[in-house]
Structure formats: C-alpha cells, structure tokens
Amino acid sequence: MQSNGAGQDSELSCQNSAQNGESSSAGGTHFNGLLVSTNNGNSVGTNNGAGPGSGTSTASGSEVGSMKKKKRLSQSEEDVIRLIGQHLHGLGLNQTVDLLMQESGCRLEHTSATKFRNHVMEGEWDKAENDLNELRALMHSPNAIVRMKFLLLQQKYLEYLEDGKVLEALQVLRGELTPLKYNTDRIHVLSGYLMCSHAEDLRAKAEWEGKGTNSRCRLLDKLQTYLPPSVMLPPRRLQTLLRQAVELQRDRCLYHNTKLDSSLDSVTLLLDHVCSRSATHSGKQFPCYTQQILTEHCNEVWFCKFSNDGTKLATGSKDTTVIIWQVDPESYQLKLLRTLEGHAYGVSYLAWSPDDAYLIACGPDDCSELWLWNVQTGELRTKMSQSHEDSLTSVAWNPDGKRFVTGGQRGQFYQCDLDGNLLDSWEGVRVQCLWCVGDGRTVLASDTHQRIRGYNFEDLTDRNIVQEDHPIMSFTVSKNGRLALLNVATQGVHLWDLQDRVLVRKYQGVTQGFYTIHSCFGGHNEDFIASGSEDHKVYIWHRRSELPIAELTGHTRTVNCVSWNPAIPGLMASASDDGTVRVWGPAPFLDTQVVDGLNENCSNMDS
C-alpha cells in the first residue's frame, strides 16, 4: 500500500501488531485501527481493569512475544484482504468484515474516505465538501478536487430541483458551481434544467435516476476514480479482476465458440476455463464431427453458402443444379427443399440477397450468364447476359438488396438492378472475386494483377487496398468490414486488415495451388477461420493462431468451399469435387474416450 502524503503510511497500511507489539486505542472499530488478537478464540488485548480512556491494552510478556513472531503481511496480502473485505461489505456481511479487519490489522479504506462515503450517501453535501479538504493531501492530482467538487455540487443542484427548491438550486448554480470556472458548457446545460416543469421532465432531460441511493452510488463510483486505491478502493474491484481473468482465459481458449457472457454467474471460478472439441466440455459448439453427408449432387460440388439467417444452405455443382437445403432448427439436420436447374455450365458461385429472398448463381470462366432466383417460389426472376463474350463468374449484393455487381476475368464489371438492367459499368477490370462494402457505395474487387482495389460507382474513383505477390483466387470479408480473408495461389490463406492495409497473418497447413478455394470466417464473434484444401481436408484455425487447431478429414477429393452457419456457431458445411457436401457439427454427447474413437475424422493440431 503506497503512501500518498507525509505521515499517512502508518494510517493506510495494516496496523499489524507483529510490527510493534501494541494495538491502537482509538475508536473501538476496525475503521479506527483497533487490533484484537485472539488466542483460541479469547481476546488477548483486554483492558484488565485499566480505565477506558487509558489508550493502552495490557498483555503478558509471552503473549506480546507471540504477537511479535507473527508474519508481517506483504503488500499483496494486504491488497487481497481489502478486496475480500470490500466484496463482503457489498454483500452486507458487515460483521464479518469487522472481524476480518480486526484480525488482520488492515483498514478497508482511509477513515477520511469512510466519512466522505457516508456523507455522500446521506446527501450531506456540505460535510462531503469539507471532507474533500481532508482528502486533498492524499490525492495525486490537485485538479481532482475541483472535478470532485463539481460532481458533488451537480448532484446537490439536481436534487434541489427535483424537490422543487428552485431558489436553493439557483443559489448552488450561481454561488457554488459557476465560481469553480470548470466545465462551463455543462453549467449552461444545467441552467436549462431550471425550466423543467416537473420532476419526471427533469430526470428525462438530465438522463438522471433521481434523488436516492442509486444515483448517489453512481456519483460515488465517479468520485472514487479520483482517489488513489490506497485511500478508497475502486468499486467492485474483486469482481472486476475476476471478470478480467475469465475473459482472458476465454480469449486464449482456441476452441471457445459460445456467446461471450460477462456475468460471473455463467462460469465457475473454481477451475480454469478450458474448451475442447469434445461434447463433454464447453467446446460442445465446435464443429468437427461429420453429422450428415449430402449426396444428391451427381458431379463435383463447387460452392456452398448458408443463408444470412442460417436457416438454409445453397449448394452449386458442375451437374448444372443448385440445391436449396432447409436447416432443421432442432436437430440441425439438412433436408432438400428444392432444386434449381438449367445452369448449362455448372454453378461455381452463389450469393444470397441481404434478406435471403433471392439467390444469384454464377458459372465458371466460360459462362456469360447469371441467374437470379426467387428462393421462396423457386422461380427464375432474371437470367442476365450482356454479351456472349462476357465471363460472369462472381457476384456481390449491395446492402440495400436492390442492386448487385458482377464481373469476370474477361474485363466485365457491371452494376445491375434485380431485373438485370445495367446501371453502371467499369471498363477493363478483370475481376476474380467481388464484395460490397457496408457503405453501399464501394465495391472491393480482386483482379488479375494480384490485388484488391476499392471501386466507388458514385464518383467513379478507385484505390488500391491489398497487394499480394501471387494470384488472389478468392476472398471474403468479416461482418464488421475490417478484415479480409484471402486464398492466395501457392501460398494458402492470408488475413488482411482492410483499414490499416496490412497483412495480419498467414495461416499454415492448407494446400492451395491454382484451384479456386473459398474460405470463411465463423463461430461466435467470427473467432475462427475455415478453408478447404487440395489435400481433401478442411482446416480450421483460431483467428489469432497461424497453426490449425483442427483438420477435418472425410472428403476424398479437393474441398472447394467451406461455409460456417452465421446463426448456428456449431454448424459448418464443406463442398468437394468428390460430389458430396459434408455437414459438420459438434461431437455427440458421449464419454470423451468414445468420442475420440468415433471422431477419427478430426485431427487435433493443438500446439
């Protein structure tokens, strides 16, 4: 415990009798430093007939010697005792706190701070203001007194107004707040509250809870930030430290895939947080087990994509069909909903509209057509082809759901409406992959120059964002628009920060040649990355880790695409040249050894 003023060290640190063999006589409570040492439950430092005002306690020589042999508390031990005391005090266990402080010889907080706290909670503003003068010597910043006084007077002013004491409130504003010459803008706002017609109006405009315990507790929390922790602990300090520890453990957990919950009630503090892929642990949301194999396609499956609401999966194949699958909300099993036919060149790319009402299908390089389907009815709304020379291999929806952009490697780059009418075009851009940014104006396009550029269709400007040394076969963007995940020929999967325009991480393990492979973000908070591979596997990484945390086996040919369900974090699909779509989910709820035996298709890559 650090001293914050001359002569304060003995007051702020533990008054442990092991240091001096005597106890303080002041006050009779732990707030005043009284030390009561016990021996088999009996008080050692008793009066033995001495007058109550004598200020000393007598003890035998052997007792004093025993007290001197007690270990002196270290700084960290004192801190822990104070933290425990504060927590117990918050639970209302005040007698327990008194005993803890007496036996340890520690103070929960400085006596001046205790007085200040009581006066604030009781609304005795003049006394609280006087307490600030006692606290001044203990504070690191002299300017803090002015800020604390301003907060006190603001609360005093608002409570007067709520009580209808307008004249008293006006006196506080003019005679006490204004002379501080601090935060004049706020004072102008406060003066406007004089016009409030009733208390409810005041509370609404001031965004204030009103006079009482709640608003005074909030005030005290703000005031505590100006006081050193040796004088007054920050509010709920033990809970804050425990929450930080839990969050850190979760953050370091490679398999954690459940919604983040800041409440300590949702976890046990008795064990470290550990997730595994086994269903017997909190890793039960981690998809590493083949729960279903879809075999309805009769040729290579080039693409798969879950709808934005997670209720459907669309798969596109070389067999010229698109199949829409319905996800059962209870079992997470997929059932064939409808088949969309007639894509003469096969289907190599799919894009759901923002509201999932429409689905656009594109073909491979030699395909000049694009299909826009109504998902609900299964009807073809638009079949678009600007020219037989075109190559429309990629598409992206504008966030408004009324427009889309499409293009290909032969230099076509169009913006169209839902009827396929050409709205804008950009000449000479050989597009490999597209993505519409959330601003509704900018389109990201990877091209044959191994880069991603941003194109603004409104002011017809473009700029370079990402530059790679090898061809970018595909890319996708995180929900917040900050990160881009690239599949780079012969290099693998790269993570870029689009805002800072820097390469963040290169993920290892995947086999990536010149096939187009589509990777994805996934899991709660998009903490995971998954990609197919030419070695027939699905690789999963934690976003912060370059080494894979899982290799999923089962496919027998190149895995072209992986899609992670955006609404069900434990569900993932992969499409392969072997003609199947594998649906991955959590391992069954079985004994860990049984799960490990069943789950041979998931290799652990933990480092």
Side-chain angles (χ1 to χ4, degrees):
M1 202 174 300
Q2 297 177 349
S3 171
N4 291 280
Q8 299 298 333
D9 186 70
S10 61
E11 277 196 302
L12 299 182
S13 63
C14 289
Q15 309 297 310
N16 195 324
S17 63
Q19 301 170 30
N20 49 33
E22 62 185 25
S23 60
S24 169
S25 61
T29 69
H30 73 273
F31 289 120
N32 293 308
L34 177 67
L35 174 66
V36 179
S37 297
T38 60
N39 184 9
N40 297 325
N42 298 317
S43 175
V44 174
T46 54
N47 197 318
N48 290 334
S54 65
T56 62
S57 61
T58 61
S60 69
S62 61
E63 289 169 341
V64 172
S66 175
M67 292 165 65
K68 287 183 178 181
K69 292 178 183 178
K70 285 185 178 180
K71 175 186 174 184
R72 177 172 179 170
L73 295 178
S74 67
Q75 181 66 60
S76 61
E77 289 169 336
E78 293 179 10
D79 292 344
V80 170
I81 289 172
R82 293 182 65 208
L83 291 172
I84 294 172
Q86 184 194 46
H87 183 67
L88 294 175
H89 180 73
L91 297 175
L93 304 176
N94 297 324
Q95 292 183 358
T96 305
V97 176
D98 288 345
L99 290 173
L100 175 63
M101 294 301 136
Q102 288 174 5
E103 187 170 357
S104 66
C106 290
R107 273 202 185 90
L108 187 58
E109 59 189 15
H110 194 278
T111 51
S112 298
T114 302
K115 284 198 303 179
F116 179 64
R117 176 193 300 277
N118 293 335
H119 290 152
V120 168
M121 293 305 297
E122 292 165 9
E124 298 182 356
W125 307 117
D126 292 339
K127 292 182 179 179
E129 195 172 341
N130 290 332
D131 295 334
L132 287 179
N133 295 325
E134 295 183 29
L135 294 170
R136 184 189 300 269
L138 306 174
M139 299 171 65
H140 296 308
S141 172
N143 296 329
I145 288 292
V146 175
R147 298 175 188 147
M148 294 176 73
K149 186 176 292 188
F150 186 90
L151 292 172
L152 281 174
L153 293 174
Q154 177 180 251
Q155 179 81 9
K156 179 180 178 181
Y157 169 76
L158 291 173
E159 291 194 7
Y160 274 148
L161 281 181
E162 188 183 43
D163 290 340
K165 300 178 180 179
V166 179
L167 291 179
E168 289 86 343
L170 187 60
Q171 175 58 34
V172 172
L173 186 68
R174 290 179 175 176
E176 299 182 67
L177 276 168
T178 303
L180 291 177
K181 297 181 180 180
Y182 174 77
N183 202 349
T184 54
D185 291 340
R186 178 61 179 166
I187 289 177
H188 291 319
V189 172
L190 291 174
S191 65
Y193 298 154
L194 288 165
M195 306 303 295
C196 293
S197 56
H198 48 75
E200 290 78 6
D201 187 28
L202 170 67
R203 289 192 289 269
K205 289 184 176 178
E207 297 179 353
W208 178 60
E209 293 180 274
K211 178 180 179 180
T213 301
N214 288 341
S215 66
R216 290 173 182 175
C217 281
R218 291 185 182 276
L219 170 64
L220 200 56
D221 287 350
K222 293 178 182 178
L223 293 169
Q224 283 178 315
T225 62
Y226 297 103
L227 293 171
S230 55
V231 176
M232 180 184 285
L233 287 172
R236 296 167 293 282
R237 183 60 183 159
L238 182 59
Q239 292 98 314
T240 299
L241 291 173
L242 292 173
R243 191 176 298 112
Q244 289 173 352
V246 169
E247 290 173 356
L248 179 62
Q249 289 185 19
R250 283 175 174 170
D251 194 44
R252 290 179 174 176
C253 178
L254 295 179
Y255 293 104
H256 191 75
N257 190 26
T258 55
K259 186 176 181 180
L260 295 180
D261 186 354
S262 60
S263 171
L264 293 177
D265 295 332
S266 63
V267 299
T268 175
L269 300 177
L270 306 181
L271 294 171
D272 286 346
H273 174 87
V274 177
C275 287
S276 77
R277 293 166 309 186
S278 166
T280 58
H281 294 83
S282 55
K284 61 187 177 182
Q285 293 295 326
F286 192 79
C288 65
Y289 180 84
T290 300
Q291 69 175 36
Q292 195 174 1
I293 302 176
L294 310 177
T295 59
E296 276 72 5
H297 285 293
C298 58
N299 209 325
E300 298 173 356
V301 187
W302 287 340
F303 200 83
C304 62
K305 185 71 173 178
F306 281 104
S307 59
N308 297 295
D309 63 6
T311 62
K312 298 178 182 67
L313 175 72
T315 56
S317 171
K318 187 179 180 180
D319 67 7
T320 73
T321 67
V322 172
I323 299 180
I324 308 295
W325 309 84
Q326 186 74 45
V327 180
D328 186 283
E330 300 295 330
S331 67
Y332 298 155
Q333 291 288 301
L334 273 65
K335 180 181 179 181
L336 195 152
L337 181 62
R338 64 173 41 89
T339 302
L340 311 175
E341 300 177 337
H343 310 87
Y345 295 90
V347 179
S348 62
Y349 196 85
L350 296 164
W352 292 88
S353 63
D355 62 359
D356 295 325
Y358 296 101
L359 182 71
I360 297 179
C362 296
D365 289 343
D366 49 357
C367 180
S368 62
E369 298 174 323
L370 173 150
W371 294 262
L372 193 156
W373 295 91
N374 184 312
V375 176
Q376 189 64 35
T377 64
E379 297 176 351
L380 179 64
R381 170 163 177 169
T382 305
K383 182 179 180 181
M384 190 194 95
S385 178
Q386 294 295 322
S387 167
H388 292 296
E389 303 297 323
D390 286 355
S391 172
L392 303 181
T393 58
S394 185
V395 66
W397 285 88
N398 189 287
D400 64 11
K402 300 176 181 178
R403 296 169 288 163
F404 62 86
V405 291
T406 183
Q409 291 195 20
R410 296 179 184 175
Q412 293 77 40
F413 191 8
Y414 305 135
Q415 182 169 226
C416 308
D417 63 17
L418 297 187
D419 295 319
N421 299 315
L422 187 63
L423 303 177
D424 298 289
S425 66
W426 209 293
E427 298 296 330
V429 181
R430 297 182 181 273
V431 173
Q432 178 72 25
C433 193
L434 293 166
W435 190 274
C436 286
V437 179
D439 62 9
R441 300 185 303 272
T442 307
V443 178
L444 302 181
S446 61
D447 56 31
T448 53
H449 296 286
Q450 305 167 5
R451 64 189 180 182
I452 296 177
R453 292 177 65 80
Y455 298 86
N456 190 313
F457 274 92
E458 291 188 1
D459 57 19
L460 299 180
T461 60
D462 60 322
R463 62 192 178 101
N464 208 45
I465 297 177
V466 169
Q467 182 67 59
E468 283 279 2
D469 297 327
H470 298 80
I472 300 171
M473 305 309 294
S474 69
F475 76 93
T476 187
V477 178
S478 61
K479 289 179 182 178
N480 61 12
R482 178 70 184 264
L483 301 173
L485 195 60
L486 286 59
N487 283 76
V488 184
T490 72
Q491 302 300 300
V493 181
H494 291 180
L495 183 68
W496 279 78
D497 186 314
L498 297 177
Q499 181 173 312
D500 295 338
R501 303 185 195 181
V502 295
L503 177 62
V504 177
R505 195 160 286 112
K506 296 181 180 180
Y507 297 101
Q508 301 178 23
V510 68
T511 302
Q512 168 82 61
F514 288 89
Y515 285 107
T516 299
I517 294 177
H518 300 272
S519 56
C520 66
F521 294 95
H524 270 297
N525 308 299
E526 295 190 321
D527 285 332
F528 301 100
I529 286 167
S531 178
S533 176
E534 293 179 22
D535 64 4
H536 315 165
K537 298 177 182 178
V538 174
Y539 286 83
I540 301 179
W541 300 266
H542 194 282
R543 202 169 68 190
R544 298 189 320 273
S545 175
E546 294 182 356
L547 296 176
I549 60 173
E551 296 177 8
L552 311 186
T553 60
H555 285 294
T556 57
R557 293 183 63 189
T558 295
V559 181
N560 300 306
C561 183
V562 180
S563 179
W564 207 304
N565 192 299
I568 307 170
L571 196 63
M572 186 174 67
S574 58
S576 171
D577 281 348
D578 64 11
T580 69
V581 176
R582 282 186 174 250
V583 181
W584 306 89
F589 190 82
L590 299 170
D591 179 79
T592 304
Q593 293 181 349
V594 177
V595 170
D596 291 340
L598 287 173
N599 198 27
E600 292 177 354
N601 60 351
C602 182
S603 303
N604 190 355
M605 296 296 294
D606 290 345
S607 57

